[in-house]
Amino acid sequence: MRNSTQAMVDFLRDKYRRNIEMQENIFTAFTDGRIGMELGSSPEARADFARRSLHEAESMLELFETTIVAHLGTAGPMGAIAEQQLRILARPFL
């Protein structure tokens, strides 16, 4: 992998991992009642929302690793598509 490609992978991987950590913290805060009381929803609804947000964050990292990172540097269309997808994901941060 080229240095710029690896830098984008490292940056996005870190971004997705930090998002998972943040969602875990939010989930814990929702479920133990530290936040959300002012939202007027039930504890179960808050926990369900937080759980879905956490699963979404985890899924984004899994999708990134299995459909993009795994194919970077490979020959043929899959490698080219993975490179293009990586650049699209990184574009907002460049």
Side-chain angles (χ1 to χ4, degrees), residues 13-89:
R13 186 180 282 141
D14 182 60
K15 181 182 178 318
Y16 291 133
R17 287 179 178 157
R18 281 184 284 128
N19 190 34
I20 289 170
E21 183 178 312
M22 179 181 67
Q23 294 303 328
E24 287 171 339
N25 291 336
I26 291 170
F27 176 75
T28 301
F30 267 127
T31 57
D32 69 12
R34 286 183 285 143
I35 61 172
M37 297 306 287
E38 67 282 354
L39 299 177
S41 60
S42 70
E44 295 80 17
R46 292 191 305 272
D48 184 55
F49 173 79
R51 186 179 301 103
R52 282 186 281 122
S53 297
L54 175 57
H55 289 166
E56 179 183 337
E58 292 169 339
S59 294
M60 287 302 298
L61 179 59
E62 182 180 358
L63 182 67
F64 176 69
E65 293 290 351
T66 60
T67 64
I68 297 175
V69 176
H71 298 285
L72 288 170
T74 61
M78 290 300 292
I81 291 168
E83 185 78 27
Q84 183 180 22
Q85 290 172 329
L86 176 68
R87 293 189 180 289
I88 290 168
L89 288 174

